[in-house]
């Protein structure tokens, strides 16, 4: 079974590189955000053992534009799924404000930065699906006229799915606060053309309540057991071998040796 992992990884071009710590990140000094990325990537990686899986290749810390570079998954239909991971140890929620508020005059909002990175990635990779993934919850409360993020985004995606262009997105029949929130939201995409804004909204997804480190490990072990049919003791050795190889897969210098 271990050989299957290596063969699947080799044949499907798993590429990994070491992330660079951000000194402005409040979690600097903690490895938890990196393990959140890596274990999420490993969960995708083990799907290479499933012949019916849509996964064709997995990359950790992909080469490309900063913003959609944490985990990359190439799908068999030719699409590329890019994951940007946001880990929190504080148990707080991911809010509307977290997306649209700029930290400073010189630093763009998260949404604006992700939109810029998406534009660059589409030039490099073509059709991409972008998933903002976090272990944080989506929140349930309005704040200063801003809606709960997940509730707003679900309504937004439903409208985009029915529209042919950005001008077809309307908020008729909704709480009057939604159109105002939409204006604030779309203003953060002003670096894009209207057609690009619409395409970005089609490509963007937000996943909250993603499994944290312990839950990710359990899911990886469970999938290995199902896909290999091995007993728990052998699955444990296989899981440890995957962790051991992360030092090779996530380090450019070791990959080149």
């Amino acid at each position: 079974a271990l050989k299957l992992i290596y063969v699947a990884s080799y044949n499907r071009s798993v590429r990994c590189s070491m992330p660079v710590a951000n000194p402005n990140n409040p979690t600097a000094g903690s490895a938890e955000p990196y393990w959140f990325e890596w274990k999420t990537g490993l969960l995708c990686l083990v799907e290479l053992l499933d012949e019916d899986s849509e996964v064709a290749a997995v990359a950790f810390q992909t080469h490309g534009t900063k913003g959609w570079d944490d985990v990359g998954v190439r799908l068999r239909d030719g699409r590329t799924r890019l994951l940007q991971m946001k880990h929190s140890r504080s148990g707080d929620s991911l809010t509307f404000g977290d997306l649209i508020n700029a930290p400073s005059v010189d630093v763009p909002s998260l949404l604006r930065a992700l939109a810029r990175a998406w534009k660059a990635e589409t030039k490099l990779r073509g059709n991409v699906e972008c998933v903002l993934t976090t272990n944080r919850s989506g929140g349930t409360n309005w704040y200063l006229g801003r809606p709960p993020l997940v509730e707003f985004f679900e309504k937004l995606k439903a409208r985009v799915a029915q529209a042919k262009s950005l001008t077809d997105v309307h908020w008729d029949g909704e709480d009057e606060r939604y159109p105002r929130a939409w204006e604030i939201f779309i203003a953060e995409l002003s670096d894009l053309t209207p057609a690009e804004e619409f395409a970005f909204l089609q490509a963007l997804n937000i996943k909250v309540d993603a499994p944290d480190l312990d839950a990710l490990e359990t899911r990886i072990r469970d999938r290995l057991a199902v896909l290999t049919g091995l007993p728990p003791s052998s699955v444990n050795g296989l899981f440890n071998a995957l962790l051991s190889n992360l030092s090779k897969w996530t380090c450019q210098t070791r990959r080149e040796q």
Side-chain angles (χ1 to χ4, degrees):
L2 182 57
K3 182 178 179 180
L4 285 177
I5 285 285
Y6 293 148
V7 170
S9 300
Y10 178 81
N11 288 343
R12 296 184 185 179
S13 304
V14 177
R15 298 170 289 108
C16 317
S17 59
M18 178 64 106
V20 178
N22 180 355
N24 297 318
N25 190 328
T27 60
S30 169
E32 289 179 359
Y34 297 141
W35 280 110
F36 183 54
E37 296 175 20
W38 295 339
K39 286 188 177 181
T40 299
L42 286 179
L43 186 58
C44 298
L45 176 64
V46 298
E47 292 304 317
L48 292 171
L49 290 172
D50 185 354
E51 292 298 325
D52 296 324
S53 169
E54 64 176 350
V55 177
V58 178
F60 297 76
Q61 199 67 18
T62 61
H63 298 291
T65 307
K66 182 67 176 176
W68 293 111
D69 57 343
D70 289 339
V71 177
V73 181
R74 181 161 53 82
L75 306 178
R76 294 193 186 193
D77 63 7
R79 289 179 298 130
T80 298
R81 180 177 296 151
L82 301 175
L83 278 60
Q84 185 65 20
M85 316 296 294
K86 296 296 180 184
H87 183 271
S88 173
R89 291 175 292 169
S90 62
D92 56 352
S93 301
L94 183 70
T95 68
F96 188 93
D98 290 330
L99 253 66
I100 59 92
N101 288 341
S104 68
V105 175
D106 299 324
V107 179
S109 68
L110 176 59
L111 182 59
R112 185 178 294 275
L114 293 178
R116 290 174 179 175
W118 166 85
K119 182 174 181 178
E121 289 293 340
T122 57
K123 293 179 179 179
L124 292 173
R125 307 177 194 277
N127 185 19
V128 295
E129 173 188 346
C130 297
V131 186
L132 177 61
T133 305
T134 181
N135 65 324
R136 297 159 70 176
S137 66
T140 58
N141 300 320
W142 287 76
Y143 179 72
L144 298 177
R146 297 171 178 176
L149 176 61
V150 173
E151 180 181 309
F152 171 81
F153 195 72
E154 287 176 350
K155 291 178 180 292
L156 171 58
K157 291 292 287 187
R159 283 163 171 75
V160 169
Q162 298 174 356
K164 295 183 179 180
S165 69
L166 202 63
T167 57
D168 295 328
V169 178
H170 302 289
W171 296 87
D172 299 338
E174 289 287 356
D175 185 309
E176 64 181 12
R177 292 175 294 180
Y178 278 107
R180 290 199 294 268
W182 164 246
E183 291 175 0
I184 296 171
F185 189 91
I186 202 68
E188 292 304 305
L189 307 184
S190 61
D191 295 326
L192 309 180
T193 67
E196 289 171 340
E197 291 175 351
F198 185 68
F200 172 65
L201 294 176
Q202 289 178 310
L204 179 64
N205 286 288
I206 299 175
K207 180 179 179 181
V208 297
D209 295 315
D212 214 333
L213 303 185
D214 290 343
L216 281 168
E217 179 170 332
T218 298
R219 293 192 183 189
I220 294 168
R221 291 177 181 273
D222 288 347
R223 285 302 285 160
L224 286 173
V226 169
L227 293 172
T228 65
L230 292 172
S233 58
S234 297
V235 168
N236 184 59
L238 186 54
F239 176 79
N240 288 336
L242 287 172
L243 293 186
S244 177
N245 274 272
L246 275 175
S247 62
K248 182 188 301 180
W249 294 337
T250 61
C251 181
Q252 181 69 30
T253 55
R254 291 198 63 182
R255 289 207 317 273
E256 292 174 348
Q257 289 177 352

